[in-house]
Each structure stands twice: as C-alpha cells, then as structure tokens.
Amino acid sequence: MGPGGACWRGGGVPGGFKRWLSSQARAPRVCVVGSGPAGFYTAQHILKHHDLARVDIYEKLPVPFGLVRFGVAPDHPEVKNVINTFTHTARSDRCAYYGNVTVGRDVTVGELQQAYHAVVLSYGAEDNRVLGIPGENLSGVYSARAFVGWYNGLPENQDLKPDLSCETALILGHGNVALDVARILLSPLDLLRKTDITDSSLAALACSKVKRVWLVGRRGPLQVAFTIKELREMINLPGARPVLDPADFAGLGNAVKDAPRPRKRLTELMIKTASEKPGEKTVAAQVAAAAREWGLRFQRSPQEVLPTADGRRARGVRMALTQLEGSGDSAKAVPTGDVEELECGLVLSSIGYQSLPLDPAVPFDPQRGIIPNSSGRVEGAPGLYCSGWVKRGPTGVIITTMNDSFDTAQSVLEDLQAGVLDVSASREGFGAVGSILRSRGVRPVSFSDWEKIDAAEVARGKAAGKPREKIVDPEEMLQLIGH
Amino acid sequence: MAAPGPLRLLRAAAAARRWLLSASPAAGARPGRGRAAAAVAVGAARPFGLSARAALSSEDKITVHFINRDGDKLTAKGKPGDSLLDVVVDNNLDIDGFGACEGTLACSTCHLIFEDHIFEKLDAITDEEMDMLDLAYGLTETSRLGCQICLKKSMNDMTVRVPEAVADARQSIDMSKNS
Ligand SMILES: Cc1cc2nc3c(=O)[nH]c(=O)nc-3n(C[C@H](O)[C@H](O)[C@H](O)COP(=O)(O)OP(=O)(O)OC[C@H]3O[C@@H](n4cnc5c(N)ncnc54)[C@H](O)[C@@H]3O)c2cc1C
Ligand SMILES: NC(=O)c1ccc[n+]([C@@H]2O[C@H](COP(=O)([O-])OP(=O)(O)OC[C@H]3O[C@@H](n4cnc5c(N)ncnc54)[C@H](OP(=O)(O)O)[C@@H]3O)[C@@H](O)[C@H]2O)c1
Ligand code: FES
C-alpha cells in the first residue's frame, strides 16, 4: 500500500540486518479509531518511538483527516498543511488506513481489543451542544456544526440547504467557530471562489441576502473564547464593517493591564476597533465599500427563539440580559431579569461540539462529555486509550490536540515498556478484523484508494481554479475506487 | 552542500515527518505551499542566487544549537537568510511536531526561546507573528516563532531552546533506540 519503501529512523543508523532480525520479534499491534489530528498524531508518535509497532487507523468516512478536512475553514488552506505530515505517516510501511469502517457499528471495540494489543479511541466530537430553549427547532435555526459541515462537504450535512434569504443573522457563541461562520457568511465571493468550499454552498452563498451578522455571547469581552488572529482577520475582512459599541469596553483597558499577554492584546484589539470611528484612517476605505457589517454583542443569554406569526420560522431571539459574577475566565453570567429581543431570520448556534459514547463497553462521562482517562489511559479499561477531543473535550486547536496525542502515545509506549501491555500473545490485527468486516459486508477504503479520490478531487477543482472540488457523496467516492 | 531547487522542494516537509523520509519521489509529491509563502511574508529575500549559494563554503554557514525538550543539544548549520524552520527541516533535526503548518504562521509549533542578547537584535515582530505566538505553549519574554527568524552572520553559535510542551513534562520513552 502506498509507495512505502524502506523507512528508518533518520539521524540514527539505518537498521539493516539487526533491525530485520528484530522485526521477527513480536511487533505490538496498535489500533487507532478516527483519522483526525488526534488519530494521526498518536499513530505518528508511536511509530516514531517504537521501531516494531504497527498501527492501523480505522475511520468511519471513506476519506481521512477529520476536522482538518471537514472543520477547518476553506479560506485557511495553510492550516491544512498538517495533511502532508499525516500523509507521510499513512504511507509508512508500518501504518495502514481503513476508511469506511464505523467502529461501534461495523466492528465493536471488544472485537478490536481481541485483534490488537492496544486500542486508542480518537473519534473526536461528532455532535453539538444544544441550547435547550424553546424554538430551537424552528426552521431558520441551525447548529454551526451542521453549517460548517455543509460548506465543507461533510456528507451528512449536504441536505442542510440553509435559508439565506434574510438580511440579519445571529450567531450564538463567541468562539472561533462562530468567527469562522461569520466570515464565511460575509466574505466576498471572489475570495471564497478560490478555496475548496463546495460548489453547491458557493452557489447558495452567491444568492445570500445576509448583510448583517451579530455574534452574541452570554458573558463579557474579557470572556470571549475566540483568539486574536481570527478576530483580526474578521476586522480586516474586505467589504465588511465591524460594529463594536465603545460602551461595552469602557474601563477594560485598565482591567487587562496585568492580564496575560494573549488576553491583553485581544482585548486591546477590540477596544481599538470599537473606538475607530467610521471614516477614520485605516478603516476609511473599507467602510466606504462596506455593504455588509458585523458586530459583537455581550452579556446576552439566549432564552427563546421567537417564531413568525405562522409559527414556522425564526424571526428573532429573546435574550436574557446578564451580569457577571466573579471575574476573569471563571466569571458566571447571571440573568438580571431584563430581556431584549433581537430580530433576525437566521440563527446559528455555535456553543460548542460534543462527543458521543461509542460503544457500551467503553466508559463515558456524560457530564463532561469525555471518556474518563488519566494521561490517555481509559479508566478501568486496560489496553484502551483515548486522545484528542474525546479525551479532553471539544476545545483546543490542532497543536493542543497534537500535544495531548503525544501524551497518550507516551502512555502506550510506557505500558509497552513496563509490560503492562502483554505482547507475548500474537494478535492478528487487520487479519482478524478484515474477516469480521467481510462477513458483515463492509469494504474498507485503503490509503491508496483515498489518494485516488484525492487526485480526482484535485482534478475537478483545477478547472474551476480551486485547490479541489470535494466529492460530497460517499457512494460516488466508492464508485470512483471501484467498490 | 546547498541543495538544488527541486531537492529543496522535495524537502519542503515538516520536520515532524523526517523519520519517515523514504527514498520514494512521492515523498514530496505535495510540497507545502507554505514555505514559499512564508519567505514572502517575512520578506526574507534570499541573499544569494542558486549558483552563488552553491559556492558557499562551510565558513559562510551559521551554526545554531538547539536544546531539545529532553535537554539534548542538537547542532546544525544554515545559510544566511534561511529561517530556523529551514534549518530544522534541512538538517532533519528530531524535534517532535516542529513546523506543522510549514512556515505559514498558522500553528506556533516552531516556537523557540532565544538568548537575551540575540533576542534584542532580532527584527521587529509583526502583529501576525505575535498573534500566533500568543497561542504557543510555555511563552517567555524571549520567545519567537522559528519560521519567522532568518539567520544572520551575527547569530553564529547561538543557542535556542525548544519550550517544553505540557505533554512533555514526563520522561519521554523511545523504544526505537533499543531495538
Ligand atoms: C469548525 C472548526 C474549525 C477549526 N479550525 C481550526 C483551525 O483553523 N486551526 C486549528 O488549529 N484548529 C481548528 N479546529 C480545531 C481542530 O479541528 C481540533 O483540535 C482537532 O480536529 C481535534 O482532533 P480529533 O482528532 O480529536 O477530532 P476530529 O478531527 O473530529 O477527528 C475524529 C475522526 O474520527 C472519525 N470517527 C468518528 N466516529 C467514528 C467511529 N465510530 N468509527 C471510526 N471513526 C470515527 C471522524 O469521522 C473523524 O475523522 C477547528 C475545529 C472546528 C470544529
Ligand atoms: N482558527 C482557529 O484556530 C479555529 C477555528 C475554529 C475552531 N477552533 C477551535 O476549536 C475549538 C472549538 O471551538 P468552538 O467555537 O466550537 O468552541 P469554544 O471556543 O468553546 O466556544 C464556545 C462559545 O459558546 C459559548 N456557549 C457555550 N454554551 C453556551 C450556552 N448555553 N449559551 C450561550 N453561549 C454558550 C461559550 O461561552 P462561555 O465562555 O460563556 O461558555 C463560548 O463563547 C476551540 O478551541 C477553537 O479555538 C480554532
Ligand atoms: S511553522 Fe507554523 S507558525 Fe511557524
């Protein structure tokens, strides 16, 4: 599979004969569930630090890379450079990729444990938190997760067809996903056209009437969860004017004087943007051209999505005004009793992702939405590990996920070294799982199959001047590789 | 010893995967667009053309010492104008996860800590680098992003430190050395 070739640890002596001999010794077989950053970084670290280990990665979708493909915004191609590293890992002789296999349905975790010495669960967070307020299911209300999946070509969200016929959109939440969604809604089409955003969502955005986006948070400016790079990008977005109310930031300059640098700079950027009057210096040209606008609203907690007269669609959201109790990151938003109605035709709830339990055999903490673990060792389940969002919860950028995946890989290595993981009994790995899958009519997709799909996507994109045109129908992917 | 153009492209790979570098040409099938873009972003117009660079003798090279997370010292050379990410990649330095975004200011995995006297003389930091640096682990007063720092003669023999990631607090295990 793949153009493997001889692989050895660079920097060290190429293994040669001794290596060959020792490879006849028992190789630990490790299984990783999920091919997002957590899965790939865990595999990478184990392969790199153990010369004999073999790692098989199972993925639900035919195509790999998780949120790097289906989450990261299309206008952030540089973030997706990590795919190059993942591709190298997947092409290693000691690594195999099996897409199109849903663990928990096509094969159980118990069956995987029979076939491997260690099983690492890195299946991410596939659902989203819900607000739990009346009106949440009205038409015109979407989760940011589904909206992101829609524009990024995630198969399950291709029927979303969000209604973009209104002028005002409300995004609930102050995280980076909220900013991603706002930016996609307001970006000039010419910028998006050159990205790998799907053709159909581009067409829908071309007809969008949305020209005003409010991002509403339940806490204050000092508690926003988004980061400065993403905010700056939004502020500099061509054709869109930031609308920040200076009153929201009164006195904050002083308050953050001694705050850690990231919080301080982020707050200062908001204060500066709020105080730049339209028509002033840098923003002048931008404002003149800006047919669209966006803004941040604070201390408003969603209470109810209000229906139109016919009771079918969203026409706005009633917000409970809040005051903060405590300060800093841990401040709590407490309703003051006052309410306010914000009108809008589109509501995007961006209050976070959520992991789901995978298999009754695997412990799961529903409160925290994670698999309970210490340093990636699943509590009470020897031989079972976890990494990434399902280990930590659905926050953190790729580098955070990388670090915690290395941490989990380290635990696996420690347990191998200490003999906690018994490798004396041979395990068949995919040999065993493959027959189970066959008996259930499941045909895995290999990494070289993915490379064919990849090439087809790149070729389709080329005509349109895009890095790729994603294939959004799994059936079409499977046909393409002759399944 | 300067690599000719195509080879440089082949090497446009994150250091993180140097351990897998195979002889296969496909290894560089998708060179990161990143590092070219980064060179533009930092305004690092390379001071030498290819032929001139080929003529560089080893005395013209700049030596850099990296203190890795485990305390190991890695020493490597680079050419004036090379970024510290170039040095890590071109010399296959074994620093876990270094340069994930391939020099496009989108990851902060190239975070390095400088000696005071070197830090003071570095080119001014841009807002964009500072924004990314703010997300780095183990930020210090003399932290910068390695992909944005280009070698100068005056940096010869400098020592930079790789910050500890949270995950690296414990003793790391390597079972590839004792096979
Ligand atoms: C919208 C969005 C944008 C983001 N943008 C950025 C960004 O610009 N920069 C940045 O650094 N970080 C970004 N992040 C964060 C980053 O994506 C995460 O840190 C990272 O993806 C988490 O990795 P993971 O592997 O735990 O989860 P995932 O990436 O979700 O990977 C999990 C994988 O497991 C698979 N899976 C699920 N269930 C099963 C099953 N039953 N069997 C087999 N496989 C299964 C999934 O299909 C998926 O491929 C973004 C996140 C989101 C949501
Ligand atoms: N470009 C990038 O680097 C990038 C892009 C996208 C995502 N990511 C990363 O991916 C992770 C996930 O992002 P995210 O935006 O989904 O999550 P997030 O950063 O956790 O933000 C969630 C937001 O929702 C709010 N919220 C939660 N529950 C709420 C409720 N019941 N009512 C009202 N508001 C509520 C939170 O406010 P409170 O603080 O008050 O709870 C917070 O503002 C983050 O770590 C993010 O940085 C990075
Ligand atoms: S390599 Fe990603 S920021 Fe430097």
Side-chain angles (χ1 to χ4, degrees):
Chain A
M1 201 196 67
C7 295
W8 58 77
R9 223 177 154 261
V13 195
F17 191 57
K18 186 170 154 241
R19 179 71 44 83
W20 181 83
L21 266 186
S22 60
S23 72
Q24 303 303 295
R26 194 130 290 143
R29 287 188 169 274
V30 179
C31 161
V32 169
V33 178
S35 69
F40 268 106
Y41 278 123
T42 308
Q44 171 185 319
H45 203 78
I46 292 174
L47 290 167
K48 176 177 170 184
H49 294 282
H50 197 300
D51 268 357
L52 301 178
R54 305 189 147 267
V55 181
D56 291 344
I57 302 176
Y58 291 86
E59 165 60 49
K60 178 173 84 162
L61 293 165
V63 294
F65 311 136
L67 285 171
V68 178
R69 177 178 162 107
F70 294 115
V72 171
D75 55 347
H76 286 169
E78 63 287 348
V79 175
K80 303 186 197 199
N81 279 346
V82 293
I83 286 177
N84 295 335
T85 303
F86 299 162
T87 298
H88 266 255
T89 300
R91 283 180 183 163
S92 153
D93 281 348
R94 292 186 286 123
C95 184
Y97 168 84
Y98 301 105
N100 200 30
V101 179
T102 302
V103 172
R105 187 194 69 187
D106 300 335
V107 56
T108 65
V109 173
E111 286 165 336
L112 290 176
Q113 287 194 279
Q114 290 293 314
Y116 291 89
H117 296 109
V119 175
V120 186
L121 302 168
S122 316
Y123 62 88
E126 288 203 285
D127 205 356
N128 51 268
R129 287 197 202 114
V130 292
L131 289 160
I133 59 172
E136 201 171 355
N137 298 322
L138 287 171
S139 88
V141 186
Y142 308 92
S143 71
R145 181 187 60 80
F147 189 76
V148 167
W150 169 72
Y151 66 65
N152 273 333
L154 186 63
E156 68 175 73
N157 298 128
Q158 290 317 293
D159 295 331
L160 190 75
K161 304 206 165 51
D163 183 345
L164 307 176
S165 62
C166 63
E167 291 196 349
T168 304
L170 216 62
I171 302 179
L172 303 171
H174 275 169
N176 278 330
V177 172
L179 281 182
D180 272 354
V181 168
R183 203 176 63 253
I184 296 297
L185 280 172
L186 295 180
S187 278
L189 227 46
D190 281 341
L191 291 186
L192 294 180
R193 223 187 289 283
K194 300 188 197 102
T195 72
D196 68 4
I197 192 167
T198 62
D199 235 359
S200 57
S201 42
L202 192 65
L205 286 166
C207 304
S208 166
K209 296 276 185 297
V210 176
K211 59 178 196 184
R212 194 174 306 108
V213 175
W214 293 113
L215 297 114
V216 191
R218 60 180 168 182
R219 299 193 291 164
L222 295 183
Q223 286 80 28
V224 293
F226 51 70
T227 42
I228 187 165
K229 181 184 170 158
E230 286 63 32
L231 177 68
R232 195 187 298 281
E233 190 177 7
M234 193 70 207
I235 291 169
N236 293 334
L237 190 69
R241 183 170 67 102
V243 185
L244 303 190
D245 182 355
D248 286 332
F249 304 93
L252 291 189
N254 264 333
V256 291
K257 259 212 185 90
D258 301 318
R261 194 176 86 187
R263 177 64 68 190
K264 179 164 179 270
R265 294 184 64 240
L266 176 60
T267 310
E268 284 168 356
L269 179 61
M270 288 190 278
I271 297 174
K272 174 167 166 270
T273 308
S275 59
E276 266 174 13
K277 299 209 174 50
E280 237 176 59
K281 31 181 195 186
T282 47
V283 277
Q286 212 175 308
V287 171
R292 297 168 156 190
E293 60 184 21
W294 62 277
L296 299 171
R297 308 294 290 271
F298 300 97
Q299 291 181 256
R300 284 161 167 78
S301 179
Q303 210 177 42
E304 180 180 356
V305 182
L306 305 165
T308 47
D310 63 9
R312 294 216 185 121
R313 293 192 45 81
R315 67 166 173 84
V317 178
R318 188 167 60 240
M319 298 284 178
L321 303 194
T322 69
Q323 62 195 19
L324 295 184
E325 273 179 14
S327 63
D329 285 349
S330 58
K332 280 189 78 134
V334 182
T336 60
D338 291 330
V339 296
E340 176 190 84
E341 288 187 6
L342 291 177
E343 282 189 24
C344 64
L346 174 62
V347 180
L348 290 151
S349 144
S350 183
I351 60 166
Y353 282 53
Q354 190 172 40
S355 295
L356 300 173
L358 180 66
D359 187 309
V362 182
F364 191 81
D365 178 344
Q367 220 69 51
R368 294 193 295 158
I370 57 166
I371 297 175
N373 70 90
S374 71
S375 288
R377 295 178 180 93
V378 178
E379 276 171 22
L384 210 51
Y385 301 81
C386 58
S387 64
W389 274 13
V390 74
K391 167 188 177 189
R392 257 190 3 256
T395 57
V397 289
I398 294 170
I399 176 180
T400 330
T401 300
M402 177 185 88
N403 279 323
D404 98 57
S405 302
F406 288 175
D407 176 61
T408 294
Q410 198 63 29
S411 296
V412 175
L413 293 169
E414 278 172 17
D415 292 354
L416 281 171
Q417 195 179 49
V420 176
L421 283 174
D422 180 13
V423 288
S424 61
S426 93
R427 298 287 166 91
E428 281 183 81
F430 184 73
V433 175
S435 2
I436 294 175
L437 293 176
R438 234 182 341 272
S439 74
R440 291 173 191 162
V442 180
R443 279 184 76 181
V445 169
S446 71
F447 201 75
S448 51
D449 286 338
W450 148 248
E451 289 181 313
K452 286 185 201 127
I453 298 172
D454 182 36
E457 290 187 343
V458 171
R460 288 182 195 188
K462 203 160 195 178
K466 301 168 72 169
R468 73 175 63 243
E469 183 60 53
K470 288 181 187 168
I471 298 172
V472 298
D473 177 6
E475 286 307 316
E476 193 184 339
M477 292 177 186
L478 297 178
Q479 263 171 25
L480 197 101
I481 53 171
H483 268 208
Chain B
M1 234 222 67
L7 192 60
R8 280 196 66 81
L9 271 185
L10 281 182
R11 286 203 196 155
R17 59 180 201 251
R18 46 144 279 289
W19 59 281
L20 280 172
L21 286 182
S22 72
S24 153
R30 279 190 282 148
R33 57 171 82 212
R35 294 171 79 219
V40 175
V42 235
R46 297 194 184 269
F48 301 101
L50 264 187
S51 51
R53 269 199 283 154
L56 274 178
S57 71
S58 61
E59 291 101 82
D60 297 313
K61 290 210 164 183
I62 295 155
T63 300
V64 185
H65 311 281
F66 295 80
I67 308 290
N68 209 345
R69 296 193 182 94
D70 53 10
D72 274 4
K73 189 174 185 176
L74 311 169
T75 297
K77 287 179 193 290
K79 299 177 292 299
D82 277 359
S83 75
L84 285 170
L85 174 63
D86 291 331
V87 176
V88 169
V89 173
D90 293 349
N91 294 284
N92 280 345
L93 297 188
D94 185 7
I95 305 175
D96 273 339
F98 199 87
C101 78
E102 304 184 358
T104 54
L105 270 186
C107 75
S108 77
T109 55
C110 60
H111 173 199
L112 291 170
I113 300 166
F114 290 77
E115 299 160 284
D116 288 349
H117 68 280
I118 298 279
F119 182 81
E120 283 154 18
K121 296 203 198 81
L122 295 177
D123 290 342
I125 187 165
T126 61
D127 281 342
E128 288 70 25
E129 182 185 342
M130 187 88 96
D131 290 355
M132 221 48 239
L133 194 56
D134 275 355
L135 294 185
Y137 283 102
L139 201 58
T140 71
E141 293 287 312
T142 60
S143 289
R144 289 288 296 263
L145 292 179
C147 68
Q148 304 300 308
I149 304 297
C150 293
L151 292 183
K152 290 186 193 144
K153 278 256 160 86
S154 58
M155 297 176 179
N156 195 32
D157 249 349
M158 74 170 166
T159 300
V160 293
R161 196 155 54 80
V162 182
E164 264 183 27
V166 243
D168 283 60
R170 18 185 211 152
Q171 177 106 45
S172 71
I173 287 200
D174 194 333
M175 300 180 71
S176 61
K177 285 178 183 150
N178 57 1
S179 62

